[in-house]
């Protein structure tokens, strides 16, 4: 699992979308999943429009780092994998 603390990200362009898409592909091949916290609404809208939100898994977006860490701790404590939690594209 890689937690991206995204509060400082103000925008994402086409090259950023392509880079993120390639990163997701590479990570998934190694059974590594992204979890994103603090993402601004305008950036999330781009990820939604391009389908990247679905590939990351809608359940892997959190309002804050703290919320993400609590959810991840619960998933690990219960033995739930991110793929089992509903991550798409696994």
């Amino acid at each position: 699992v890689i937690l991206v603390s995204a509060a400082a990200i103000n925008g994402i362009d086409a090259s950023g979308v392509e880079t993120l898409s390639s990163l997701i592909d590479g990570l998934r091949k190694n059974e590594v999943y992204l979890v994103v916290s603090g993402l601004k609404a305008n950036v999330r809208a781009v990820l939604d429009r391009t389908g990247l939100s679905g590939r990351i898994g809608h359940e892997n977006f959190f309002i804050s780092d703290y919320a993400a860490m609590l959810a991840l701790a619960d998933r690990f404590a219960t033995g739930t994998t991110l793929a089992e939690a509903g991550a798409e594209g696994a």
Side-chain angles (χ1 to χ4, degrees), residues 16-51:
V17 167
E18 182 60 34
T19 299
L20 185 55
S21 180
S22 295
L23 177 65
I24 292 167
D25 291 342
L27 291 173
R28 287 284 169 90
K29 288 178 185 173
N30 292 299
E31 297 182 18
V32 176
Y33 295 88
L34 285 180
V35 173
V36 181
S37 66
L39 194 64
K40 292 179 175 71
N42 63 310
V43 180
R44 176 66 188 260
V46 174
L47 298 185
D48 289 345
R49 280 194 309 273
T50 60

Side-chain angles (χ1 to χ4, degrees), residues 2 4-5 14 20 22 24 29 37 52-53 60 73 80 87:
I2 296 176
V4 177
S5 181
L20 185 55
S22 295
I24 292 167
K29 288 178 185 173
S37 66
L52 287 178
S53 291
N60 293 322
T80 303

